[in-house]
Amino acid sequence: MVRYVYDFTEGGRDMADLLGGKGSNLAEMTRLGLPVPPGFTVTSEACRAFLETGSEPAGLWEEVSAHLAGLEASAGRSLGQPDDPLLLSVRSGAKFSMPGMMETILDIGLNDDSVLGLAKVSGNERFAWDSYRRLVQMLGSTVMGVDSSRFERSLALLKDLRGVQDDVHLTASDLAELVETYKNLIHLETGDHFPQSPAEQLRRAILAVFESWNGERARLYRRREHIADDLGTAVNVQRMVFGNLGADSGSGVAFTRDPATGRSGLYGDYLPDAQGEDVVAGIRNTVPLAELKRLDARSYDGLRTHMRTLERHYRDLCDIEFTIERGTLWMLQTRVGKRTAEAAFVLAAELADEGLITPDEALARVSGEGLARLMFPRFDASATGTALAHGVPASPGAAVGTVVFDSAQAVRRAAAGEKVVLVRQETTPDDLPGMIAAQAVLTSRGGKTSHAAVVARGMGKVCVCGAEELTVDTEARRFTAADGTVVEEGTVVSVDGSAGAVYAGSVPLVDSAVIRYLEDGRGGGGSQGVDVVDAVARALARADTVRRLEVRANADTPEDAVRARRFGAQGIGLCRTEHMFLGDRRKLVEQMILAGTDAERDRALADLLPLQRRDFVGILEAMDGLPVTIRLLDPPLHEFLPDHTELAVRIATAQARGEEPDAHDVALLGAVNRMHEENPMLGLRGVRLGLVVPGLVAMQVRAIGEAVTERLSAGGAPQAEIMVPLVGDVRELRLVRAEVQRVLAEISRAAGVVLDCPVGTMIELPRAALTAGRIAEEAEFFSFGTNDLTQTTWGFSRDDVEAEFFSAYLDKGVFSTSPFEALDREGVGRLVNIAVAEGRATRPDLKIGVCGEHGGDPDSVHFFHTAGLDYVSCSPFRVPVARLEAGRAALE
Ligand code: ADP
Ligand code: MG
Ligand code: MG
């Protein structure tokens, strides 16, 4: 037989699937001997059964009644007993804490009779009627569906009538009158009466929690957070304790450490003579927890002891709710507390110092995403003030700019050198130019997967979305904040994409201490305990000890190479050569393309050679002693030619003026026309260029080979590797490799040194992955180009997807995240696995890495670790993130 109900004494924190987060932790505290008001939990399984059939599963009510009888027996009074009522709370609690679920109902068991009994036994008539009116209101709104504003209005009306400001100034008889008003209101609105039977109150409250699982807000939240829809929620039924019985009572919230900084200490708020949410509702001023020591030393000491117990037991920062009833302390909730990225690092280091967790556990407790957040510049916390609005922190970082309300305005102002923040209700692909021009994007609608969020993250642009308190009036070019502040176009605001907040005016920025440390080793050694820089340094050191994956950087310039090295890169996994063909050198490339004879082409290539050689010398020097993987030219050549329209206009204008058009322009236009491709991404590029354009590969290889010799004679230890892009068949690679080896042999002979440059290939086409066993015959290493491999596997281009239909795909659930952000394990990942297995079958010592952007993505790093790669390569800025995640992956 299935069991649907567990007493708090029977559960534990490992039972969150069944008992929910709140229930399993209540059980854990009970087991630890902490003072938890007794109660029981109705399982999420009962909820699932209810949702499937639409009715209570058989036997549920009998089980609830049996547990209720147990509670009554231990309390020595029954639920709603007229002369001395036992009262209960009914609290929802799913496995993951979730907004949108039913609000807790307190004081179940009160009715027209028991309210009198409660007044008598408590000796506090006002307290009894206040509790009753709260129950009628909560049950009336959450269970019976009356709009809660109707209750609020009656309450406000009564206060006006009595000429009082505050609830606490209403007398017992005022509140009794209010109860009557509420009950009438319920009858009027629903045709139903407020249930006087305590058992019926309990039953309906439990079923209402079940139903709230499918409430609109809860469903929306689950979709946004990727929480499964079929988990269901548990329900906790618990004996009431009262913090609102006078000055010797109260309720509070506490953290065992500071959730903002991770430092140890006592953090929390306390509100005397208060119940439930009063302490966080902001209706009266709370006092800091330290003040409780003065008010009630015994409860304070007890609380400190329990907090220590909980932190030792959970071995983590705990978040706690408690209530004091006439000098007796009760624990009402605990969970492992949410924390900032900074707190996560500091806390992990401190807990390890205290011996509560091992260094490996400390590493597992922090994340690359958190580290990335700590590397952005931040607003000076002392200067932020109150926020205009809060929204979803969609893309981290801090930005200041003037507000604009459409894409065109953003582009115009940005072109004039102004920093702008684009504000929209939500963005569409039409807003793309404005998003590119803006420092930050702010929307009033949409979540983490809205168009604005996805595109901004892709561009590394600050974004806060779904700031629902804002009314954005695009027509009138202004937005209005919740407090009525009107912000017109042209006003300066500050957007915090890490915290999801927007501030009026320009908030000063401070550099990240973590970046300063990574750049030059400064920082750390804080005065009080572990500081965030120390904590980051320790996590990285641990990661470096345990990780198997090497971490390299994608860098095309000596400056980037130097920075990457400081950030801990163990080489360059991708040195692109295309930017080396831009700028002044474009002319030489044009000459190469336009060359009518071999001699002309050779001349152009010969002019490019020394320039290329200089590029490589600089990079090899910066990375001396470490591998540098240089990729031969990849993009289609017409990318180096002027724009077609521009040329055509220039020629047509000359002709219209009756002049002879420039001969060079005409030749260029001819070349542009010849080279036009419908799908350049799938056209003449990569290895195909090398095979079709004579002399190109030879020039690049000569530049590399000569740079290596130059570095060798300067006493360096250059380790160049030559990488061929976009290979789909082993024969392509065989031809290019022969050419590479011919040139290297020539240079070796001439210079009298042995040049040992491994030749490998990118794996970025499905065909390459599927024939990796053959390709490995010619390749000394593989490097997965996961950007192109994702595009070619899915058959779509990244730019088009992101601009056009990305958010639609997320909304429809085709994507849960961008396959360009987190590697698509199912499809692209499968190709990676095949290529690794078959490549190594041919060549057991094949070195394998990845150089797509996925190399710096935490989830993807874990995949590459499992897939058995030797290294990941990512942008210099992501190197520390990849080091940390490679370490965490090794611990799994
Ligand atoms: P949430 O999930 O929103 O935290 P809770 O179930 O914790 O909701 O309850 C809301 C408020 O009611 C909290 O302040 C909690 O401490 C209080 N509360 C819940 N159960 C009881 C109880 N049995 N006695 C007194 N206060 C309670
Ligand atoms: Mg709570
Ligand atoms: Mg590529």
Side-chain angles (χ1 to χ4, degrees), residues 472-637:
V472 176
D473 188 342
T474 313
E475 295 274 293
R477 305 195 157 273
R478 68 162 89 98
F479 70 74
T480 313
D483 67 357
T485 311
V486 176
V487 175
E488 307 275 354
E489 187 156 82
T491 315
V492 173
V493 297
S494 301
V495 184
D496 187 337
S498 314
V502 188
Y503 301 95
S506 161
V507 177
L509 286 171
V510 288
D511 242 5
S512 141
V514 171
I515 271 293
R516 254 193 337 262
Y517 158 74
L518 289 168
E519 288 278 13
D520 56 23
R522 274 191 296 130
S527 49
Q528 35 174 312
V530 183
D531 105 324
V532 64
V533 167
D534 290 330
V536 166
R538 280 164 56 171
L540 281 171
R542 188 70 198 165
D544 289 343
T545 321
V546 298
R547 70 189 156 94
R548 186 187 56 71
L549 277 176
E550 281 176 26
V551 177
R552 298 192 192 176
N554 298 347
D556 310 339
T557 63
E559 298 75 55
D560 272 0
V562 167
R563 155 175 281 186
R565 207 170 174 159
R566 279 201 304 261
F567 283 6
Q570 295 161 287
I572 291 180
L574 174 64
C575 171
R576 278 165 290 213
T577 51
E578 35 270 28
H579 90 270
M580 303 172 184
F581 286 65
L582 296 174
D584 296 344
R585 306 178 187 182
R586 210 190 265 261
K587 263 204 296 298
L588 299 174
V589 180
E590 281 175 11
Q591 281 166 20
M592 174 184 88
I593 295 170
L594 295 176
T597 64
D598 287 353
E600 272 175 44
R601 182 179 317 105
D602 289 348
R603 226 176 3 258
L605 287 169
D607 287 343
L608 273 168
L609 175 68
L611 305 174
Q612 275 265 274
R613 186 171 55 223
R614 208 170 58 214
D615 299 329
F616 296 140
V617 168
I619 291 169
L620 288 170
E621 186 176 356
M623 273 288 161
D624 197 53
L626 295 173
V628 175
T629 308
I630 298 168
R631 178 175 74 183
L632 301 181
L633 194 64
D634 183 37
L637 285 184

Side-chain angles (χ1 to χ4, degrees), residues 616-662:
F616 296 140
V617 168
I619 291 169
L620 288 170
E621 186 176 356
M623 273 288 161
D624 197 53
L626 295 173
V628 175
T629 308
I630 298 168
R631 178 175 74 183
L632 301 181
L633 194 64
D634 183 37
L637 285 184
H638 53 72
E639 285 195 10
F640 302 98
L641 295 180
D643 178 62
H644 177 272
T645 318
E646 198 183 300
L647 280 171
V649 167
R650 223 153 54 206
I651 292 168
T653 321
Q655 281 168 336
R657 278 203 222 101
E659 296 163 11
E660 191 64 21
D662 185 78

Side-chain angles (χ1 to χ4, degrees), residues 183-385:
K183 286 196 296 196
N184 289 334
L185 181 63
I186 291 176
H187 187 210
L188 210 69
E189 293 271 312
T190 67
D192 206 356
H193 290 284
F194 171 80
Q196 288 289 320
S197 150
E200 189 190 340
Q201 292 171 3
L202 177 60
R203 186 166 158 269
R204 289 179 69 172
I206 293 175
L207 298 184
V209 173
F210 287 167
E211 275 167 355
S212 74
W213 176 259
N214 278 332
E216 197 184 335
R217 262 184 62 205
R219 283 219 309 269
L220 203 72
Y221 181 82
R222 287 200 294 273
R223 195 146 118 202
R224 257 191 220 174
E225 300 296 314
H226 307 301
I227 298 174
D229 259 330
D230 56 4
L231 295 178
T233 178
V235 188
N236 303 290
V237 178
Q238 187 175 29
R239 201 184 87 199
M240 282 300 298
V241 291
F242 301 101
N244 51 343
L245 275 170
D248 56 353
S249 306
S251 59
V253 291
F255 291 92
T256 57
R257 313 227 169 180
D258 184 347
T261 64
R263 298 239 161 66
S264 50
L266 204 56
Y267 293 85
D269 299 305
Y270 180 69
L271 187 61
D273 197 7
Q275 185 175 39
E277 309 281 62
D278 292 356
V279 62
V280 289
I283 41 176
R284 273 184 287 146
N285 283 341
T286 58
V287 298
L289 211 53
E291 186 77 0
L292 180 60
K293 187 173 183 169
R294 210 178 43 75
L295 296 172
D296 180 351
R298 210 166 54 94
S299 297
Y300 176 82
D301 289 341
L303 182 65
R304 293 208 56 168
T305 312
H306 299 329
M307 284 167 75
R308 255 195 307 275
T309 306
L310 285 173
E311 194 172 89
R312 306 230 132 226
H313 183 69
Y314 282 82
R315 304 185 308 133
D316 210 339
L317 163 79
C318 295
D319 157 346
I320 288 160
E321 290 175 11
F322 66 94
T323 281
I324 298 172
E325 177 180 321
R326 291 189 167 145
T328 304
L329 172 66
W330 295 98
M331 303 294 280
L332 288 178
Q333 189 173 337
T334 194
R335 63 189 157 194
V336 167
K338 293 210 167 66
R339 64 208 65 186
T340 61
E342 173 175 342
F345 277 89
V346 171
L347 187 62
E350 288 202 339
L351 291 179
D353 279 350
E354 290 166 29
L356 274 183
I357 59 176
T358 66
D360 284 351
E361 281 172 313
L363 176 56
R365 296 266 181 100
V366 296
S367 73
E369 199 199 323
L371 177 56
R373 225 172 295 145
L374 291 176
M375 291 167 67
F376 284 105
R378 298 193 278 184
F379 286 128
D380 181 355
S382 63
T384 44

